[in-house]
Amino acid sequence: MATIKDVAARAGVAVGTASRVLSGSPQTSPDSRSRVLAAAAELGYIANGPARSLRRARTDVLGLLVSDIRNPFFSELAHAAEQEARAHGYTVILANANEDAAQADAVLDVFASQRIDGLLLSPQGPKTPRLEALLASDLPIVLLNRSIEGVDAPLYGTDNAGGVAQALKWLQRRGHRDVAFIGGPETFSTGAERHDAYLAGREAHGICTDDALVDAGDFLADGAAEAMLRILDRGALPTAVFGANGQTTLGAMRAVHERLGAEAASLIEFVSFDDVEWFAFMSPPVSAVKNDAPEIGRAGVRGLLALINGGTATPQRIATTFIDRSAGSAA
């Protein structure tokens, strides 16, 4: 089994420096932290038995790292998770990654130094050395809504394929063929799954397969607006736009209005993966795939508590519902 001396030697730092990094001390340089955490992950380093015992002393505190607290999906998820944890006697420490892997790693550094009983994590992409080191410890972890390739942790998230299928059926019923799809980053499992499901299902639903109508943003409004403008710059004029999350749909709508003007934009229908409260009050209202964010949060807490108590956690994909706000619908 690797020792802290092995980690220090692999990282090229003093043993004291490696110890401070692995204990979560802020009194280390970013370069040292990166090297030590990478070395710990490579060697599969786990702290010694007494340290593990001290660390696993129950505190009844859970860590929760969400991708972007501005996104209503994650706000609802966090609120429900906190309430579920409270019902079981736990307090939740909430942190925001702001859709930024470096910020997420900084938060994980803090969580690693705290005596939390478990971690609910919505990741920002592939594994990082900080996350690998945390996974190598005995800290119970569950993933929320996003998986990570090569990470064997229970996932509680949305049924992305089912939600995309609902949107495709709606587009087909509405008679749309020329549909623009604005996806999210494919480094996020949600972005990749929604993109793949759209490409796999569009032809069967009578939707144009021209990839000039497909682009991707960053799951935020500004990145989606840029993606929408790229599609319009290719000369495409869609009759409908499908945004891969709420912020993406908002950004695409803004770009269409700014580029084409209100009158032309009013002829384009929008559908969103993720419902946002104010979609119902827009003119015309926006139809959407509704995630059950609260249930994802509650299920994630229940799974994490099962791990903390020495049991097993069963991953879950939570079903979506479709909110049809189009003219003539019964919604």
Side-chain angles (χ1 to χ4, degrees):
M1 181 178 293
T3 67
I4 196 167
K5 290 183 180 179
D6 298 326
V7 173
R10 174 70 66 91
V13 301
V15 172
T17 299
S19 178
R20 285 193 296 275
V21 170
L22 294 169
S23 66
S25 170
Q27 297 179 342
T28 53
S29 69
D31 179 62
S32 293
R33 285 198 298 275
S34 176
R35 289 158 57 193
V36 169
L37 294 173
E42 291 168 5
L43 295 172
Y45 172 77
I46 301 176
N48 61 43
R52 284 203 308 273
S53 297
L54 176 63
R55 188 174 170 76
R56 292 277 58 82
R58 288 292 184 90
T59 62
D60 296 332
V61 175
L62 307 178
L64 170 57
L65 176 57
V66 298
S67 300
D68 186 357
I69 200 65
R70 296 168 298 177
N71 185 328
F73 171 84
F74 288 110
S75 299
E76 291 182 13
L77 183 155
H79 178 264
E82 191 275 334
Q83 292 298 303
E84 182 72 16
R86 182 178 294 274
H88 291 276
Y90 283 79
T91 298
V92 172
I93 300 175
L94 172 64
N96 175 42
N98 204 42
E99 297 290 16
D100 182 277
Q103 186 165 319
D105 271 357
V107 172
L108 292 179
D109 274 337
V110 174
F111 280 147
S113 69
Q114 302 300 310
R115 290 174 57 192
I116 60 175
D117 290 341
L119 175 63
L120 300 136
L121 172 64
S122 181
Q124 306 309 299
K127 282 188 296 185
T128 64
R130 172 65 269 173
L131 179 56
E132 288 190 80
L134 202 59
L135 289 164
S137 75
D138 59 347
L139 181 69
I141 297 175
V142 301
L143 303 178
L144 297 178
N145 212 49
R146 297 176 180 175
S147 61
I148 311 174
E149 186 175 356
V151 172
D152 185 20
L155 170 68
Y156 297 85
T158 295
D159 177 7
N160 291 303
V164 169
Q166 290 172 323
L168 288 170
K169 289 176 183 176
W170 179 86
L171 288 163
Q172 186 176 42
R173 287 197 305 270
R174 299 292 292 167
H176 292 292
R177 183 179 182 279
D178 296 321
V179 178
F181 176 75
I182 311 295
E186 291 196 50
T187 52
F188 297 170
S189 63
T190 44
E193 288 177 13
R194 293 172 195 178
H195 173 266
D196 291 348
Y198 179 78
L199 294 188
R202 58 185 176 175
E203 185 174 9
H205 290 85
I207 293 171
C208 177
T209 59
D210 184 356
D211 287 338
L213 287 161
V214 177
D215 214 307
D218 55 4
F219 270 159
L220 299 174
D222 287 347
E226 293 171 3
M228 187 72 244
L229 291 175
R230 287 194 293 269
I231 289 176
L232 294 175
D233 286 341
R234 295 173 194 140
L237 188 59
T239 61
V241 177
F242 181 13
N245 77 347
Q247 289 293 308
T248 295
T249 305
L250 172 63
M253 294 176 71
R254 187 181 73 203
V256 167
H257 277 76
E258 291 176 354
R259 173 63 64 85
L260 302 180
E263 183 176 354
S266 69
L267 302 176
I268 299 175
E269 283 198 292
F270 287 84
V271 61
S272 175
F273 199 120
D274 284 349
D275 193 26
V276 178
E277 184 177 4
W278 43 262
F279 279 170
F281 305 103
M282 299 190 70
S283 182
V286 176
S287 298
V289 175
K290 183 174 178 60
N291 287 302
D292 194 345
E295 181 54 27
I296 293 171
R298 289 189 291 265
V301 169
R302 292 192 294 266
L304 183 59
L305 296 184
L307 294 177
I308 290 171
N309 292 317
T312 59
T314 303
Q316 285 182 254
R317 290 285 188 161
I318 309 300
T320 60
T321 55
F322 192 82
I323 310 299
D324 186 354
R325 300 189 176 101
S326 59
S329 73

